[in-house]
């Protein structure tokens, strides 16, 4: 149970037996709690009046109280939004919940505090649960690529067109949720419901702040300026991590699953890309993602292999010769029919469709 509205609907039946309630403010629902059987219920970070808390515990409910003075909610039931993570960015990025959560992570991961590590684990598990709920039944395509791809470049524009095309074809775009190629793909998904010219306008506006360095605040404000000019854009998912906290999340992913544990985040992003992955030019991180994706395709550990499309022949055969190794791995295995190398980003959607047929 993840909303007070759902609580109000269910509690009319007179029982919350066996329910799990996540991060609800129930301080105004004391009478309902006193009048309802809560045996076996689990209250995760729910705010309640003291007499309501005592009553549900007496019923046999398990209560995990809210943790004070945290910049994040470890029991959250829903994914983040850009507005939530960047709240207060007009006063500087350092004041935002995103920056404060990273600062907390930096302090606590080096002191060996088991309570802090437990809170991080609970938070990440809650995020995974929220991702699974949001993506249930979706045709998810992952778009991977480097964070260094600058706004204003043709590569950035190409990644944005890719995100727009995939979204218009009914896919849900999922990225690592950060800047560069990730932001571009989420921007394209955001632009999908609008006329084609909207994307060009957005790219022109964003080019004025090409990178999140030296100022994350200016970089984020440019993105929110696009969102204000063109509200209610298309949906997509970003899955970033505070492990790389120096890289901020981008503001164009409508739903953000941000993790403390990078390994959980990377594996989860690829595992949820059930309709395939497009790999744009990148460096070590993108190479790692290619083979993280190739391994379950090779062994069939997640079922039938899913499409893998590598973009930019020169990059993946000469600069970083990943493609020959991928071909060698795939030889005489089912995944051989699910990999492709294309010259340009505009060829990727057709290749993805062909491989998935």
């Amino acid at each position: 149970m993840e909303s007070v509205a759902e609580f109000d609907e269910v509690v009319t039946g007179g029982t919350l037996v066996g329910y799990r309630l996540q991060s609800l403010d129930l301080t105004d629902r004391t009478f309902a709690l006193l009048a309802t059987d809560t045996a076996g219920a689990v209250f995760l970070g729910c705010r309640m009046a003291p007499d309501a808390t005592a009553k549900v515990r007496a019923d046999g409910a398990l209560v995990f109280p809210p943790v004070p003075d945290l910049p994040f909610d470890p029991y959250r039931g829903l994914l983040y939004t850009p507005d939530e993570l960047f709240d207060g960015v007009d006063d500087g990025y350092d004041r935002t919940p995103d920056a404060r959560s990273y600062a907390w992570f930096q302090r606590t991961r080096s002191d060996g505090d088991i309570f802090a590590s437990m809170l991080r684990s609970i938070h990440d598990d809650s995020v995974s649960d929220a991702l699974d709920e949001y993506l249930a039944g979706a045709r998810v395509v992952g778009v991977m690529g480097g964070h260094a791809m600058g706004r204003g470049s043709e590569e950035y524009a190409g990644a944005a067109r890719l995100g727009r095309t995939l979204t218009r074809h009914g896919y849900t775009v999922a990225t690592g949720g950060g800047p560069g190629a990730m932001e571009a793909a989420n921007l394209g998904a955001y632009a999908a419901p609008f006329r084609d010219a909207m994307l060009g306008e957005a790219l022109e506006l964003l080019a004025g702040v090409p990178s999140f360095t030296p100022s994350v605040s200016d970089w984020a404000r440019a993105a929110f300026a696009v969102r204000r000019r063109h509200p209610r854009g298309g949906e997509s998912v970003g899955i970033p991590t505070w492990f790389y906290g120096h890289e901020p999340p981008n503001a164009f992913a409508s739903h953000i699953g941000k993790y403390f544990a990078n390994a959980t985040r990377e594996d989860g992003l690829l595992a949820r890309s059930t309709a395939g992955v497009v790999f744009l030019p990148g460096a070590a991180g993108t190479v790692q993602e290619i083979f993280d994706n190739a391994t379950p395709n090779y062994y069939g550990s997640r079922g039938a292999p899913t499409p893998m499309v590598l973009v930019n022949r020169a990059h993946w055969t000469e600069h970083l010769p990943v493609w020959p190794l991928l071909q060698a791995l795939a030889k005489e295995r089912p995944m051989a029919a699910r990999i492709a190398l294309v010259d340009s980003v505009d060829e990727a959607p057709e290749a993805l469709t062909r491989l998935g047929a």
Side-chain angles (χ1 to χ4, degrees):
M1 189 179 297
E2 297 156 345
S3 72
V4 174
E6 188 179 0
F7 173 89
D8 290 338
E9 181 180 350
V10 171
V11 81
T12 58
T15 180
L16 288 170
V17 172
Y19 274 87
R20 280 76 171 114
L21 297 86
Q22 284 181 258
S23 192
L24 303 182
D25 186 350
L26 301 176
T27 51
D28 293 333
R29 301 298 192 277
T30 300
F31 179 79
L33 289 167
L34 294 177
T36 301
D37 185 2
T38 59
V42 179
F43 292 81
L44 297 165
C46 295
R47 294 181 292 281
M48 295 181 283
D51 50 345
T53 301
K55 185 267 181 187
V56 301
R57 280 181 169 149
D59 280 352
L62 187 60
V63 177
F64 292 79
V67 181
D69 303 322
L70 281 180
F72 63 93
D73 178 3
Y75 305 108
R76 61 180 304 112
L78 302 173
L79 297 173
Y80 290 100
T81 66
D83 297 284
E84 181 181 1
L85 288 175
F86 283 103
D87 184 41
V89 72
D90 287 341
D91 297 321
Y93 173 68
D94 288 347
R95 296 177 177 268
T96 66
D98 186 65
R100 290 189 291 111
S101 295
Y102 177 52
W104 177 89
F105 180 42
Q106 290 289 86
R107 289 195 307 272
T108 61
R109 70 173 174 172
S110 60
D111 63 14
D113 183 359
I114 191 172
F115 183 58
S117 63
M118 182 190 75
L119 291 174
R120 294 196 296 269
S121 296
I122 292 172
H123 169 274
D124 286 1
D125 188 63
S126 297
V127 168
S128 290
D129 181 65
L131 271 172
D132 288 338
E133 290 177 351
Y134 175 69
L135 294 174
R139 299 161 63 212
V140 182
V141 172
V143 178
M144 312 296 166
H147 69 270
M149 185 183 289
R151 294 169 172 176
S153 67
E154 178 50 40
E155 292 78 13
Y156 185 96
R161 292 195 303 273
L162 172 65
R164 183 177 66 181
T165 299
L166 292 173
T167 303
R168 287 178 174 178
H169 280 77
Y171 294 109
T172 296
V173 169
T175 77
M182 297 170 280
E183 181 189 53
N186 288 128
L187 167 63
Y190 187 90
F194 300 102
R195 69 191 192 284
D196 286 355
M198 175 270 175
L199 182 56
E201 296 170 8
L203 292 170
E204 184 175 354
L205 193 156
L206 293 170
V209 188
S211 174
F212 64 95
T213 59
S215 172
V216 174
S217 302
D218 291 344
W219 177 83
R221 289 182 193 123
F224 280 102
V226 171
R227 285 164 46 96
R228 285 192 299 271
R229 184 176 297 186
H230 303 282
R232 297 180 296 278
E235 293 189 0
S236 66
V237 173
I239 307 180
T241 174
W242 280 295
F243 184 81
Y244 298 130
H246 60 287
E247 294 181 14
N250 75 73
F252 292 111
S254 59
H255 295 74
I256 299 174
K258 190 154 191 178
Y259 286 88
F260 289 105
N262 184 50
T264 304
R265 166 254 189 173
E266 285 191 341
D267 183 70
L269 171 55
L270 293 167
R272 291 178 175 88
S273 298
T274 51
V277 183
V278 178
F279 296 94
L280 302 175
T286 309
V287 172
Q288 177 183 346
E289 288 162 347
I290 289 172
F291 290 105
D292 280 348
N293 194 211
T295 300
N297 280 348
Y298 179 87
Y299 288 111
S301 55
R302 292 180 185 145
T306 52
M308 299 177 64
V309 179
L310 278 61
V311 175
N312 191 316
R313 189 175 304 274
H315 185 82
W316 295 121
T317 61
E318 299 172 18
H319 181 59
L320 294 174
V322 164
W323 177 248
L325 178 54
L326 191 61
Q327 280 186 306
L329 279 174
K331 187 176 181 181
E332 298 180 357
R333 302 187 76 90
M335 70 176 287
R338 295 290 184 270
I339 62 172
L341 175 66
V342 298
D343 291 311
S344 74
V345 71
D346 294 320
E347 299 173 71
E350 186 279 328
L352 189 74
T353 301
R354 172 170 45 81
L355 296 180

